[in-house]
Amino acid sequence: MRVLGVDPGLTRCGVGVVDGTAGRPLRMAAVGVVRTPAEEDTARRLVLVERGIEAWLDEHQPEVVAVERVFSQHNVRTVMGTAQASAVAMLCAARRGLPVALHTPSEVKAAVTGNGRADKAQVGSMVVRLLRLDAMPKPADAADALALAICHIWRAPAQQRLQRAYTAARRPPSPSSPKGGTPS
Amino acid sequence: MRVLGVDPGLTRCGVGVVDGTAGRPLRMAAVGVVRTPAEEDTARRLVLVERGIEAWLDEHQPEVVAVERVFSQHNVRTVMGTAQASAVAMLCAARRGLPVALHTPSEVKAAVTGNGRADKAQVGSMVVRLLRLDAMPKPADAADALALAICHIWRAPAQQRLQRAYTAARRPPSPSSPKGGTPS
């Protein structure tokens, strides 16, 4: 599975591509940052984020896009830009039919370090070890994007089992089931 | 000037097109709502908002798009969806080179009713009078989108004067100015 992780932001949007399967060694395919100038107005910055994300999708052809879930409670001053950039990332992925997964910051920290309250340095050093990198990806947004992709690869099997169970529970009984049911 | 007003939301995104100039009677060209189903996931809903806004831009060809400025302090539960839908509206406009103007809810209320703390009913009845409509546009999001467009038409001349003054103040002295200056 190839996952594009996106740590959304208007000034710096971290992007990282990881190949892997739960239980197997992971491989980093690419990492970087989409930047937009703070002096541009928001609408224009969103167009630049869209172009950047589209270029990453075109070049790396991920099967899934994992985006950090933004909460309105935290960082009131920056949350609007983060929410807007994440909307553009989700839009770009969904528009080409790619599944979009959202993970909270504490889910990402817990998946990568075992501790949902780990700090940036701990997350970064685990990303370096798990992907066998020579150095910490800079800036922190880039490392966070890789952590998101890793989190998704490891959480995906459990999420898929939950999704299948949920879908099965909602499906009406099939005609061949012992208890019968009306064919739809 | 033809303005598309957008009252952003994931469930209901109000859209209204108004033609007019400050100091002249206004005319409503169209009003409506872009809806997305609550049971779809957010990424997919953003794609539907994008399609809806694009259809309105294609059909009505506004010169400006006025979007409600979203604050993170209010309505914590719904603010993320509102921020995301507004990002998509801004993106659609800026991508085709249209200017995007943001107005706060109290700027809109003050422009349309004279009172920045007016309630929905007061805003709605002023929209009906100003556009000489037979009935209140429903739902409230549609009336709010028209109020945004009216607010923009009335505020635009003042905003343009401010913008020109700001640009002039930042521009270096031209070579022909009495005090001279180096040609750039």
Side-chain angles (χ1 to χ4, degrees):
Chain A
M1 171 161 56
R2 168 164 283 199
V3 180
L4 171 66
V6 179
D7 183 32
L10 267 189
T11 304
R12 286 182 307 278
C13 191
V15 275
V17 183
V18 178
D19 292 318
T21 316
R24 298 278 191 83
L26 303 163
R27 196 185 75 85
M28 179 180 86
V31 67
V33 177
V34 173
R35 293 174 195 272
T36 77
E39 64 274 18
E40 288 274 5
D41 63 48
T42 307
R44 176 78 190 142
R45 296 178 81 181
L46 293 173
V47 174
L48 297 173
V49 170
E50 180 185 48
R51 271 190 214 159
I53 299 285
E54 285 290 338
W56 276 77
L57 292 172
D58 284 342
E59 185 170 348
H60 299 287
Q61 300 285 330
E63 293 147 75
V64 184
V65 176
V67 182
E68 188 177 294
R69 189 187 290 275
V70 185
F71 286 107
S72 53
Q73 291 88 333
H74 306 307
N75 309 313
V76 168
R77 254 181 287 178
T78 58
V79 77
M80 297 312 298
T82 311
Q84 291 165 331
S86 79
V88 172
M90 286 192 268
L91 176 69
C92 292
R95 205 163 46 192
R96 49 176 88 191
L98 294 176
V100 175
L102 302 175
H103 301 285
T104 67
S106 55
E107 283 166 350
V108 175
K109 289 171 186 173
V112 174
T113 72
N115 170 10
R117 305 180 70 180
D119 62 22
K120 289 229 171 251
Q122 289 171 300
V123 172
S125 64
M126 278 307 293
V127 165
V128 168
R129 284 171 60 181
L130 292 166
L131 299 175
R132 283 149 296 130
L133 307 179
D134 295 329
M136 183 88 81
K138 294 268 172 61
D141 314 78
D144 285 346
L146 293 171
L148 260 159
I150 295 169
C151 169
H152 183 75
I153 290 168
W154 286 352
R155 282 170 56 93
Q159 285 191 326
Q160 282 162 4
R161 276 195 299 274
L162 278 171
Q163 186 59 45
R164 272 197 300 270
Y166 179 73
T167 310
R170 281 174 50 136
R171 198 182 298 140
S174 70
S176 62
S177 94
K179 287 192 181 164
T182 50
S184 58
Chain B
M1 170 160 58
R2 167 164 284 200
V3 180
L4 171 66
V6 179
D7 182 31
L10 268 189
T11 303
R12 286 183 306 277
C13 191
V15 277
V17 183
V18 178
D19 293 318
T21 317
R24 297 277 191 84
L26 303 164
R27 195 185 74 85
M28 179 181 85
V31 67
V33 177
V34 173
R35 293 174 195 272
T36 76
E39 63 274 19
E40 287 274 6
D41 64 47
T42 306
R44 176 77 192 145
R45 296 177 82 181
L46 294 172
V47 174
L48 297 174
V49 170
E50 180 186 45
R51 272 192 214 156
I53 299 285
E54 285 290 338
W56 275 77
L57 292 171
D58 283 343
E59 185 170 347
H60 299 286
Q61 300 285 331
E63 293 148 75
V64 184
V65 177
V67 182
E68 187 178 294
R69 190 187 289 277
V70 185
F71 286 107
S72 52
Q73 290 90 331
H74 306 306
N75 309 316
V76 168
R77 255 180 285 177
T78 58
V79 76
M80 298 310 300
T82 312
Q84 291 165 332
S86 80
V88 172
M90 286 192 266
L91 176 69
C92 291
R95 204 164 45 192
R96 51 176 87 190
L98 294 177
V100 174
L102 302 175
H103 301 285
T104 67
S106 55
E107 283 165 351
V108 175
K109 290 171 186 173
V112 174
T113 72
N115 169 10
R117 305 178 72 179
D119 63 22
K120 290 227 170 253
Q122 289 172 300
V123 172
S125 65
M126 278 307 294
V127 165
V128 168
R129 285 171 59 180
L130 292 166
L131 300 174
R132 286 150 293 133
L133 306 180
D134 295 327
M136 182 88 79
K138 293 268 171 63
D141 314 79
D144 285 347
L146 292 171
L148 260 159
I150 295 169
C151 169
H152 183 76
I153 290 168
W154 287 351
R155 281 170 57 92
Q159 285 191 328
Q160 282 163 5
R161 278 195 298 274
L162 278 171
Q163 187 59 45
R164 274 198 297 271
Y166 179 74
T167 309
R170 281 176 49 137
R171 198 183 296 142
S174 71
S176 63
S177 93
K179 289 194 177 167
T182 50
S184 58

